[in-house]
Amino acid sequence: PGFNPTLQLEHQNKIKRLLLPADNHFLNMLYFFVRCINGNMKYESCYQEILDQSRLLDQVILNGDYSDGSKI
């Protein structure tokens, strides 16, 4: 919360930067979990989606850097 990430798109030597809205992925994952339970969704698919999201976030944190080259 409170952090607005910047998305940088590069295409044919042109760079476009977009300021994205702040988000709270922890809260979003809890909301998703509640929807899975209340919506009678299959446990395995919900669990797998939560694990996939966690792995992706870990990869961003471990491998990501800011546009100035500093690490996240």
Side-chain angles (χ1 to χ4, degrees), residues 18-33:
L18 303 170
L19 185 62
L20 302 176
D23 195 22
N24 185 331
H25 85 277
F26 292 108
L27 189 56
N28 289 339
M29 292 307 296
L30 289 174
Y31 286 148
F32 176 73
F33 179 71

Side-chain angles (χ1 to χ4, degrees), residues 43-69:
Y43 167 79
E44 293 83 12
S45 64
C46 289
Y47 180 70
Q48 190 60 49
E49 285 189 44
I50 291 170
L51 284 180
D52 291 343
Q53 179 71 18
S54 295
R55 282 191 205 103
L56 289 171
L57 288 170
D58 280 344
Q59 288 178 1
V60 167
I61 291 169
L62 293 173
N63 300 317
D65 59 12
Y66 293 103
S67 59
D68 65 0

